[in-house]
Amino acid sequence: VRVELSQPAPQGASSSVSAIDWFVCERLDFITPSVLDAMRKGCCSHATPVIPVVGIAMPLTADGVPFVGVPYCFLPIGQMRTGLPVQVNGSFRPTPNRRELWLPGEELDGNHEKFALWNEVLMNDAVPALWLEALRNLASAGIATTAGGIATTAGR
């Protein structure tokens, strides 16, 4: 996917256009064992059932500035950052104000504890599995890049 942003310039100057190429990978995750286990424990069967969707977007072009990804649950989650060099989308359980994700370790009641476990399983297990798959796909397609914070060599 190529995203182009144009920035208007003051009168008399030419506008600038910057482009970023992204490698986007998404899947319906019914294969990661911990995701299936969390589903069996009822982590996604509250009033609004959740389908285990995870996705990542890796910038393929770099401008020299370190990239830090944002978690999305189809829209960005507040001001949160993942600390990963990829954008992360998933069927996470955000707090009601969508500013945060439910996280383990907090004093949570039954359903919120399940939401936190669900978020943890997606981030710690499903996202890394998809990320590895994406890097392998890039390498097998012969695309040498440092996308996603890990260098791949074409053809490996």
Side-chain angles (χ1 to χ4, degrees):
V1 175
R2 175 171 275 251
V3 177
E4 291 187 1
L5 302 171
S6 62
Q7 187 171 9
Q11 188 173 10
S14 60
S15 61
S16 64
V17 176
S18 62
I20 299 176
D21 292 317
W22 295 83
F23 183 76
V24 179
C25 192
E26 190 166 43
R27 78 172 169 197
L28 190 58
D29 193 338
F30 287 107
I31 59 173
T32 303
S34 57
V35 171
L36 297 175
D37 188 46
M39 292 176 77
R40 280 191 288 277
K41 290 179 181 175
C43 289
C44 58
S45 63
H46 186 57
T48 54
V50 175
I51 297 172
V53 175
V54 291
I56 60 169
M58 295 185 283
L60 296 178
T61 51
D63 59 4
V65 177
F67 180 82
V68 179
V70 173
Y72 289 79
C73 182
F74 309 102
L75 293 170
I77 303 296
Q79 300 297 313
M80 289 187 77
R81 298 292 178 262
T82 63
L84 303 173
V86 296
Q87 301 287 34
V88 176
N89 181 50
S91 54
F92 297 111
R93 292 296 198 155
T95 57
N97 62 11
R98 293 192 53 86
R99 291 183 182 164
E100 299 176 305
L101 296 174
W102 293 106
L103 300 173
E106 303 168 4
E107 291 184 27
L108 303 172
D109 63 19
N111 283 327
H112 296 136
E113 187 175 348
K114 288 180 181 180
F115 295 169
L117 175 61
W118 179 251
N119 292 337
E120 181 179 47
V121 165
L122 288 183
M123 278 303 292
N124 291 345
D125 300 329
V127 168
L130 179 61
W131 191 358
L132 178 59
E133 180 183 327
L135 290 170
R136 287 180 177 155
N137 287 337
L138 281 171
S140 68
I143 301 171
T145 183
T146 57
I150 299 173
T152 61
T153 305
R156 287 188 136 186

